[in-house]
Amino acid sequence: MNIPTFIDVEKAHKVVAKYAHHTPVLTSASINEIVGGQLFFKCENFQKVGAFKFRGACNAVFSLTDEEAQKGVATHSSGNHAAALALAARMRGIEAHIVMPENSPEIKKKAVAGYGANITFCKPTLQARESTLAKVVEETGATEIHPYNNFFVIAGQGTAAKELIENIGEFDSILAPVGGGGLLGGTAISTKKLLPACKVIAAEPAGADDAYRSFYSKTWVPSENPQTIADGLLTSLGKRNFQIMLDKVDDVVTVSEESIVAAMRMIWERMKIIIEPSSAVPLAAILEKKVDVQHKRVGIILSGGNLDLGKLPF
Amino acid sequence: MNIPTFIDVEKAHKVVAKYAHHTPVLTSASINEIVGGQLFFKCENFQKVGAFKFRGACNAVFSLTDEEAQKGVATHSSGNHAAALALAARMRGIEAHIVMPENSPEIKKKAVAGYGANITFCKPTLQARESTLAKVVEETGATEIHPYNNFFVIAGQGTAAKELIENIGEFDSILAPVGGGGLLGGTAISTKKLLPACKVIAAEPAGADDAYRSFYSKTWVPSENPQTIADGLLTSLGKRNFQIMLDKVDDVVTVSEESIVAAMRMIWERMKIIIEPSSAVPLAAILEKKVDVQHKRVGIILSGGNLDLGKLPF
């Protein structure tokens, strides 16, 4: 199983810097006062397609040979990865074949269609998604780009933490949410190379704690019937990312749904930016005092800002 | 009646730059595609206290002589100006006396109290506000700082457009919402000096169109029973700002409530930033095609980002 190194993140960054936004790092004096430390938020909610996912998709699409590329790319996703892959493919001028569960939110279907992808709808089960994707790949010869268990995707996601560290400098710890683990894996690779003494901490909803259980049992545990408002973190941890986690992540902490909503509202109210629930999970861990930030410099990757404004938790 | 000139804005900027944020200018490729022009949003929602009001309050407070300052400042306000004046006073280490209607939102009362101001509550009528303020001023000797019809406040608000032009360069037009007219007045002073050919356009809710009626009748018309979701724009136009408007503003356009909500949602969804309804009024005017932006470079002042997340219009 190939695991990317920081050299792969550096290569990825040459591609990603050309097509993605170099997102800003924001701070909030009032949140710093509340938590007693200095927090630096890397705003991937301002990234193209509204999420860090564009970095990985972009790197995967532009890492294909011309021969591979002409047959297009394919994935199954109901979320940000679908939109990210569709846009990256459009930028390279190749086809994207996206398998989406038929019950995906209308707004996501529209976004993916808007980027010109070919959408195939399927029943909303993992089995249907995988079998439909297999059929699409067989028919088209497209390269499957997994949303998080893909070498180039992980390397691409690592560019967010690389930019954060290059822009701000030293950190005592860097926090990222963990779902499939692509963002966490990439973050750990960049951080441990650039700042070996800096802790990398994963934050996860208690209702979807497969990474927590995998990390502490040192055995990969799948996500079973996860329940959380942080809809980007429902998936099982990727096997590659599990390896990176055992090697480079210092801690995994879990948080309640109430804390996620409180942290999300705090960021909306105090920073005037829109983040999706998954992005609020690291701050939730700080508010629950699961991570000590007293007098420390702490980086937080805000993963994205896509959510249905008609269905807010407050 | 003293009207500030650009020299006063430049003086104000020396003060404001020390205490206020130099807010970022954001753009959105997808909104540009929708409207067919290049829009540049000056993000005063990221300003201290969440609104441009801090610029004017700051300039007014720091323009006082030491003798004046030691008696404090006073105003009546249920909104952003109260918080702005309270914070500016705290920064100068002087007292702020704020008269607030007793039915002000709890969140505003808390914010003003949080900045250490002395709050006097009164009945929610203009008469009660004015008589209570007169009493407070008589008792304390504090200097009244009017929220928008004040020389130093207007000069302070002009620093937002000054920064926008200094950062981005040429514009075909610059749009600001108009309520009391402090922001509009300051914007017009800076714009007509730095970019004489650039149009200055005021955008106003049709349900609170006193500036529109004043501008086109060339007679000051008070705001009577205004109705709009843009709660920052309910007040009557200041007399000083009316003069500036006749002299330097090219057009006033009005928009529907539906357009304000649609524009606000568009900015939330596409730009992932939180703005209050008043901030959405200029984009609403563009969406209603009341302002032509085709192939043009257009600056928009986003006035603030304070609103009750529990009472959203979508």
Side-chain angles (χ1 to χ4, degrees), chain B residues 37-51:
Chain B
Q38 274 187 282
L39 308 187
F40 297 84
F41 297 91
K42 175 69 171 168
C43 289
E44 290 298 296
N45 54 328
F46 294 155
Q47 188 49 268
K48 282 184 181 158
V49 314

PDB file of all heavy atoms in Angstrom, chain B residues 37-51:
ATOM      1  N   GLY B  37     -20.375  41.015 -14.583  1.00  0.00           N
ATOM      2  CA  GLY B  37     -19.396  42.072 -14.310  1.00  0.00           C
ATOM      3  C   GLY B  37     -18.445  41.601 -13.225  1.00  0.00           C
ATOM      4  O   GLY B  37     -18.553  40.476 -12.736  1.00  0.00           O
ATOM      5  N   GLN B  38     -17.495  42.480 -12.877  1.00  0.00           N
ATOM      6  CA  GLN B  38     -16.537  42.119 -11.825  1.00  0.00           C
ATOM      7  C   GLN B  38     -16.891  42.868 -10.556  1.00  0.00           C
ATOM      8  O   GLN B  38     -16.764  44.099 -10.508  1.00  0.00           O
ATOM      9  CB  GLN B  38     -15.131  42.530 -12.251  1.00  0.00           C
ATOM     10  CG  GLN B  38     -14.400  41.499 -13.088  1.00  0.00           C
ATOM     11  CD  GLN B  38     -12.966  41.962 -13.285  1.00  0.00           C
ATOM     12  OE1 GLN B  38     -12.714  42.844 -14.117  1.00  0.00           O
ATOM     13  NE2 GLN B  38     -12.031  41.390 -12.534  1.00  0.00           N
ATOM     14  N   LEU B  39     -17.311  42.159  -9.539  1.00  0.00           N
ATOM     15  CA  LEU B  39     -17.697  42.788  -8.276  1.00  0.00           C
ATOM     16  C   LEU B  39     -16.589  42.590  -7.238  1.00  0.00           C
ATOM     17  O   LEU B  39     -16.027  41.504  -7.118  1.00  0.00           O
ATOM     18  CB  LEU B  39     -19.003  42.186  -7.751  1.00  0.00           C
ATOM     19  CG  LEU B  39     -20.199  42.134  -8.715  1.00  0.00           C
ATOM     20  CD1 LEU B  39     -21.456  41.671  -7.976  1.00  0.00           C
ATOM     21  CD2 LEU B  39     -20.440  43.479  -9.378  1.00  0.00           C
ATOM     22  N   PHE B  40     -16.317  43.649  -6.490  1.00  0.00           N
ATOM     23  CA  PHE B  40     -15.312  43.604  -5.423  1.00  0.00           C
ATOM     24  C   PHE B  40     -15.999  44.002  -4.122  1.00  0.00           C
ATOM     25  O   PHE B  40     -16.484  45.129  -3.998  1.00  0.00           O
ATOM     26  CB  PHE B  40     -14.161  44.569  -5.738  1.00  0.00           C
ATOM     27  CG  PHE B  40     -13.409  44.219  -6.985  1.00  0.00           C
ATOM     28  CD1 PHE B  40     -13.867  44.642  -8.235  1.00  0.00           C
ATOM     29  CD2 PHE B  40     -12.254  43.446  -6.931  1.00  0.00           C
ATOM     30  CE1 PHE B  40     -13.179  44.310  -9.403  1.00  0.00           C
ATOM     31  CE2 PHE B  40     -11.566  43.111  -8.093  1.00  0.00           C
ATOM     32  CZ  PHE B  40     -12.027  43.542  -9.331  1.00  0.00           C
ATOM     33  N   PHE B  41     -16.039  43.078  -3.179  1.00  0.00           N
ATOM     34  CA  PHE B  41     -16.776  43.300  -1.944  1.00  0.00           C
ATOM     35  C   PHE B  41     -15.836  43.714  -0.810  1.00  0.00           C
ATOM     36  O   PHE B  41     -14.951  42.941  -0.421  1.00  0.00           O
ATOM     37  CB  PHE B  41     -17.524  42.029  -1.539  1.00  0.00           C
ATOM     38  CG  PHE B  41     -18.576  41.600  -2.517  1.00  0.00           C
ATOM     39  CD1 PHE B  41     -18.278  40.713  -3.555  1.00  0.00           C
ATOM     40  CD2 PHE B  41     -19.872  42.085  -2.415  1.00  0.00           C
ATOM     41  CE1 PHE B  41     -19.258  40.307  -4.462  1.00  0.00           C
ATOM     42  CE2 PHE B  41     -20.859  41.687  -3.305  1.00  0.00           C
ATOM     43  CZ  PHE B  41     -20.552  40.798  -4.340  1.00  0.00           C
ATOM     44  N   LYS B  42     -16.025  44.918  -0.286  1.00  0.00           N
ATOM     45  CA  LYS B  42     -15.242  45.385   0.858  1.00  0.00           C
ATOM     46  C   LYS B  42     -15.937  44.873   2.123  1.00  0.00           C
ATOM     47  O   LYS B  42     -17.055  45.298   2.447  1.00  0.00           O
ATOM     48  CB  LYS B  42     -15.189  46.917   0.835  1.00  0.00           C
ATOM     49  CG  LYS B  42     -14.511  47.562   2.031  1.00  0.00           C
ATOM     50  CD  LYS B  42     -13.008  47.308   2.088  1.00  0.00           C
ATOM     51  CE  LYS B  42     -12.348  48.150   3.171  1.00  0.00           C
ATOM     52  NZ  LYS B  42     -10.953  47.711   3.419  1.00  0.00           N
ATOM     53  N   CYS B  43     -15.249  44.003   2.847  1.00  0.00           N
ATOM     54  CA  CYS B  43     -15.912  43.187   3.881  1.00  0.00           C
ATOM     55  C   CYS B  43     -15.910  43.832   5.261  1.00  0.00           C
ATOM     56  O   CYS B  43     -15.172  43.408   6.158  1.00  0.00           O
ATOM     57  CB  CYS B  43     -15.261  41.818   3.922  1.00  0.00           C
ATOM     58  SG  CYS B  43     -15.670  40.854   2.463  1.00  0.00           S
ATOM     59  N   GLU B  44     -16.768  44.825   5.456  1.00  0.00           N
ATOM     60  CA  GLU B  44     -16.896  45.451   6.770  1.00  0.00           C
ATOM     61  C   GLU B  44     -17.642  44.553   7.768  1.00  0.00           C
ATOM     62  O   GLU B  44     -17.700  44.871   8.964  1.00  0.00           O
ATOM     63  CB  GLU B  44     -17.555  46.814   6.654  1.00  0.00           C
ATOM     64  CG  GLU B  44     -16.665  47.852   5.985  1.00  0.00           C
ATOM     65  CD  GLU B  44     -15.389  48.095   6.771  1.00  0.00           C
ATOM     66  OE1 GLU B  44     -15.470  48.572   7.909  1.00  0.00           O
ATOM     67  OE2 GLU B  44     -14.298  47.795   6.243  1.00  0.00           O
ATOM     68  N   ASN B  45     -18.186  43.451   7.282  1.00  0.00           N
ATOM     69  CA  ASN B  45     -18.710  42.443   8.215  1.00  0.00           C
ATOM     70  C   ASN B  45     -17.578  41.857   9.060  1.00  0.00           C
ATOM     71  O   ASN B  45     -17.834  41.330  10.142  1.00  0.00           O
ATOM     72  CB  ASN B  45     -19.480  41.344   7.474  1.00  0.00           C
ATOM     73  CG  ASN B  45     -18.674  40.684   6.370  1.00  0.00           C
ATOM     74  OD1 ASN B  45     -17.829  41.324   5.737  1.00  0.00           O
ATOM     75  ND2 ASN B  45     -18.918  39.419   6.127  1.00  0.00           N
ATOM     76  N   PHE B  46     -16.342  41.949   8.561  1.00  0.00           N
ATOM     77  CA  PHE B  46     -15.181  41.478   9.327  1.00  0.00           C
ATOM     78  C   PHE B  46     -14.576  42.594  10.195  1.00  0.00           C
ATOM     79  O   PHE B  46     -13.544  42.389  10.832  1.00  0.00           O
ATOM     80  CB  PHE B  46     -14.087  40.930   8.395  1.00  0.00           C
ATOM     81  CG  PHE B  46     -14.466  39.681   7.649  1.00  0.00           C
ATOM     82  CD1 PHE B  46     -13.859  39.365   6.438  1.00  0.00           C
ATOM     83  CD2 PHE B  46     -15.409  38.795   8.150  1.00  0.00           C
ATOM     84  CE1 PHE B  46     -14.186  38.206   5.745  1.00  0.00           C
ATOM     85  CE2 PHE B  46     -15.750  37.627   7.460  1.00  0.00           C
ATOM     86  CZ  PHE B  46     -15.138  37.336   6.259  1.00  0.00           C
ATOM     87  N   GLN B  47     -15.172  43.783  10.152  1.00  0.00           N
ATOM     88  CA  GLN B  47     -14.663  44.898  10.956  1.00  0.00           C
ATOM     89  C   GLN B  47     -14.914  44.619  12.445  1.00  0.00           C
ATOM     90  O   GLN B  47     -15.743  43.793  12.792  1.00  0.00           O
ATOM     91  CB  GLN B  47     -15.370  46.199  10.533  1.00  0.00           C
ATOM     92  CG  GLN B  47     -14.812  47.479  11.139  1.00  0.00           C
ATOM     93  CD  GLN B  47     -13.306  47.583  11.021  1.00  0.00           C
ATOM     94  OE1 GLN B  47     -12.570  47.166  11.924  1.00  0.00           O
ATOM     95  NE2 GLN B  47     -12.838  48.097   9.890  1.00  0.00           N
ATOM     96  N   LYS B  48     -14.204  45.317  13.318  1.00  0.00           N
ATOM     97  CA  LYS B  48     -14.489  45.209  14.759  1.00  0.00           C
ATOM     98  C   LYS B  48     -15.947  45.544  15.026  1.00  0.00           C
ATOM     99  O   LYS B  48     -16.508  46.404  14.352  1.00  0.00           O
ATOM    100  CB  LYS B  48     -13.561  46.131  15.559  1.00  0.00           C
ATOM    101  CG  LYS B  48     -12.189  45.502  15.681  1.00  0.00           C
ATOM    102  CD  LYS B  48     -11.220  46.285  16.535  1.00  0.00           C
ATOM    103  CE  LYS B  48      -9.877  45.546  16.539  1.00  0.00           C
ATOM    104  NZ  LYS B  48      -8.758  46.411  16.887  1.00  0.00           N
ATOM    105  N   VAL B  49     -16.539  44.922  16.003  1.00  0.00           N
ATOM    106  CA  VAL B  49     -17.978  44.942  16.317  1.00  0.00           C
ATOM    107  C   VAL B  49     -18.833  44.487  15.133  1.00  0.00           C
ATOM    108  O   VAL B  49     -20.058  44.597  15.184  1.00  0.00           O
ATOM    109  CB  VAL B  49     -18.522  46.289  16.892  1.00  0.00           C
ATOM    110  CG1 VAL B  49     -17.622  46.834  17.987  1.00  0.00           C
ATOM    111  CG2 VAL B  49     -18.764  47.339  15.828  1.00  0.00           C
ATOM    112  N   GLY B  50     -18.221  43.948  14.083  1.00  0.00           N
ATOM    113  CA  GLY B  50     -18.993  43.359  12.992  1.00  0.00           C
ATOM    114  C   GLY B  50     -19.636  44.342  12.042  1.00  0.00           C
ATOM    115  O   GLY B  50     -20.572  43.983  11.323  1.00  0.00           O
ATOM    116  N   ALA B  51     -19.161  45.594  12.006  1.00  0.00           N
ATOM    117  CA  ALA B  51     -19.785  46.582  11.114  1.00  0.00           C
ATOM    118  C   ALA B  51     -18.871  47.785  10.898  1.00  0.00           C
ATOM    119  O   ALA B  51     -18.071  48.137  11.768  1.00  0.00           O
ATOM    120  CB  ALA B  51     -21.117  47.051  11.689  1.00  0.00           C
TER     121      ALA B  51
END
